[in-house]
Amino acid sequence: MSDRAALLKGIRVWLVLFVVCLVLSGATAFPLVHELRWTEELLRHLPAPDALSEWITRVRQGLDTADADYPFLLYGTDWLAFAHLVIAVAFIGPYRDPVRNIWVVEFGMIACAGIIPLALICGPVRGIPFWWSVIDMSFGVFGVIPLYVVRRRIKRLERLTAATPAPVLAI
């Protein structure tokens, strides 16, 4: 396998990993009410910290109330899920042509970095415990890792492609 083919394969594997995680993250935003009921039940059977169990119970109660009395509020989480899925689709570009579409990877890195100030600013405003904001920020930290690896490989692929002269077509 050529260096170019190996780089392209590695880029695609990392992109697929990132897209799968993005889709899973988005898909879990649709059934929040049920997920929190399951999580609360699971935590009853595990040696979970009290703060975590209490927080999950509080969030579950809030979602139950919203679902029963104000279900339109949960429409916002449907849009959150949809946004994750749409962003995942954007990564088809770098999968098909990484060098031309490196901007999508850089956009993803910027979005990952943006998670941190969002969690630090909006978390306290919304009454989110700091330790939960740290969990939210970890999505940005862990999300940027595969994108950083992909960007470095795309830059290597770009240099490799630029160093290889294009074939001359004889007419």
Side-chain angles (χ1 to χ4, degrees):
M1 181 182 304
S2 71
D3 288 345
R4 186 181 188 292
L7 270 174
L8 192 56
K9 182 179 180 181
I11 288 166
R12 288 179 171 165
V13 166
W14 279 102
L15 283 171
V16 167
L17 171 72
F18 181 79
V19 166
V20 165
C21 291
L22 193 57
V23 167
L24 289 174
S25 178
T28 61
F30 284 116
L32 278 180
V33 173
H34 301 294
E35 285 174 342
L36 280 172
R37 288 179 188 149
W38 299 330
T39 303
E40 186 179 31
E41 186 63 32
L42 179 67
L43 289 177
R44 287 188 185 126
H45 302 290
L46 296 175
D50 289 341
L52 176 61
S53 296
E54 291 167 9
W55 175 248
I56 294 298
T57 296
R58 181 170 184 217
V59 172
R60 195 255 324 137
Q61 290 170 342
L63 283 174
D64 281 348
T65 300
D67 191 36
D69 299 338
Y70 311 102
F72 54 85
L73 290 175
L74 297 178
Y75 190 52
T77 61
D78 296 337
W79 278 103
L80 170 71
F82 178 71
H84 278 76
L85 303 178
V86 169
I87 292 167
V89 169
F91 283 89
I92 292 171
Y95 184 91
R96 292 176 65 194
D97 187 346
V99 174
R100 179 183 287 172
N101 293 295
I102 192 171
W103 69 270
V104 176
V105 174
E106 293 168 341
F107 168 80
M109 293 172 74
I110 293 166
C112 286
I115 291 171
I116 294 170
L118 178 86
L120 290 173
I121 294 166
C122 294
V125 168
R126 301 289 184 203
I128 307 298
F130 179 73
W131 58 268
W132 192 265
S133 292
V134 171
I135 292 170
D136 289 340
M137 288 184 281
S138 74
F139 281 88
V141 172
F142 289 118
V144 81
I145 292 170
L147 295 178
Y148 177 75
V149 170
V150 166
R151 186 179 184 285
R152 287 188 58 204
R153 289 179 182 215
I154 291 172
K155 286 298 191 179
R156 281 199 312 234
L157 180 63
E158 183 180 41
R159 287 190 302 273
L160 189 62
T161 303
T164 307
V168 178
L169 298 175
I171 299 179

